Amino acid sequence: GRTISFNLTTGLTTKKSNGSLFTLNNYETDSIPTIDSIDQKSSIRTRSYTIGGNIVYTEPIKKYGQLSISYSPFFTKSTSQKNTDNYDALTDSYSLTDTALSNQFNNTYLKNNIGISYRYNNKKLSWTIGVSGQDALLRSEQLLPNQFSVNKNFLSVLPNTELNYKFSKTENLRFFYRTSTNPPSITQLQNVIDNSNSLILTTGNPELKQTFTQTIGLRYGRANTEKATNLFIFANANNTINYIANSTTIFARDTIINDIKATAGTQFIQPTNLSGYWNKRTFITYGFPITKMKSNMNVNGGFVYTRTPTLINSLRNTANSFAFNAGFSL
């Protein structure tokens, strides 16, 4: 029962895009009409490289027990460069560099995870409990238009447990609790304005923290081979601390934001960390035979609840979403 295992994963993602933007806005302030236009071209180049792995060693403890020790490193590096050029009527070309909308950004994320867990397993009961300590380093560096860097270190304790009980060969109950972290993406960190909709401006936030998510779930399954019936029930809930939410500011008057003019009524959206995100869902399906048709009928239903926090003009806003679903198959 003694084992040692190694795992290595790596990935490379590149993306290139070119865009042309022409915007014509008509405003009226105090009965005075105003016309504003944007004519520009842009190019975006992003590249992301990741490498990670784990080493796991297990040691048997008596007849049904097993102790496991693991080490999991993970590294990702992302770069993004956006060049924006405005139209120059004198030269009839897009040769005027817009420094407020151009940006070069680098981001690295290094994570080390050391964990220990105990597993008990016999014919009916399988139970695992464990905990891991995680050290994560997030470094963000902006090269253009202004140079600055952000260094953050996150220490996390990540507990987890799972229980699986077999009532019989065709009936079992499973319960699990997991925790995990997730870093912000380079787009969410990059402090450059996206003006593709000049009335709804968006940008990133280099001060973002990583998210911490807790997941709890329950699954129950039963099949009756003699009667050809089956029942499956699933329920889980997710709670995220430092959830990356939108902070929306609606300007009451003309404003200059990051050297970009925003007229009254324009929305400015930036990601921020907020706690209080919840996602809960249930699902049930039941199958039974219809002998006269020589067929099986499966009916199912479910419920989804999502609670999403946001900020609107610096005031906290919570959106509650409820969804029901049902179906059948023959």
Side-chain angles (χ1 to χ4, degrees), residues 110 134-139 151-156 210:
L110 175 63
Q134 179 178 283
D135 176 52
L137 176 63
L138 177 66
R139 176 179 173 83
N151 294 290
K152 296 183 179 181
N153 186 249
F154 306 102
L155 296 175
S156 305
Q210 67 176 3

Side-chain angles (χ1 to χ4, degrees), residues 17 24 39 46 56 94 97 113 144 155 170 189 198 270 285 319:
S17 62
L24 182 64
D39 190 1
T46 60
V56 182
Y94 294 87
T97 300
N113 189 303
L144 295 173
L155 296 175
T170 58
L189 291 168
S198 59
Q270 186 177 36
T285 179

Side-chain angles (χ1 to χ4, degrees), residues 235-286:
N236 84 334
N238 292 291
N239 170 244
T240 300
I241 299 173
N242 286 328
Y243 172 76
I244 299 179
N246 284 334
S247 174
T248 302
T249 301
I250 305 173
F251 297 122
R253 59 182 63 87
D254 292 355
T255 305
I256 301 297
I257 181 76
N258 291 4
D259 296 329
I260 299 296
K261 179 183 177 181
T263 57
T266 297
Q267 297 183 35
F268 178 67
I269 302 176
Q270 186 177 36
T272 189
N273 290 115
L274 292 176
S275 295
Y277 173 85
W278 282 93
N279 178 269
K280 304 176 183 180
R281 62 180 62 237
T282 61
F283 179 78
I284 181 172
T285 179
Y286 178 69

Side-chain angles (χ1 to χ4, degrees), residues 35 37 94-95 109 121 125 145 172 188 201 209 249 255 268 309 327:
I35 297 179
S37 65
Y94 294 87
S95 56
Y109 181 72
N121 186 25
L125 176 65
N172 76 295
Q188 293 169 329
L201 303 176
K209 303 176 183 178
T249 301
T255 305
F268 178 67

Side-chain angles (χ1 to χ4, degrees), residues 212-230:
F212 177 83
T213 300
Q214 305 176 84
T215 303
I216 187 170
L218 185 71
R219 294 198 312 180
Y220 172 77
R222 184 186 68 190
N224 188 320
T225 55
E226 294 180 356
K227 296 182 180 181
T229 61
N230 63 82

Side-chain angles (χ1 to χ4, degrees), residues 18-65:
N18 298 300
S20 299
L21 175 65
F22 180 79
T23 300
L24 182 64
N25 293 326
N26 296 297
Y27 305 98
E28 186 173 303
T29 305
D30 298 329
S31 300
I32 300 175
T34 304
I35 297 179
D36 185 24
S37 65
I38 300 173
D39 190 1
Q40 60 190 206
K41 288 187 176 182
S42 63
S43 63
I44 301 176
R45 304 289 185 267
T46 60
R47 182 184 180 93
S48 177
Y49 172 73
T50 62
I51 184 170
N54 66 349
I55 303 173
V56 182
Y57 173 78
T58 62
E59 178 72 23
I61 298 179
K62 295 184 178 181
K63 185 176 180 180
Y64 299 112

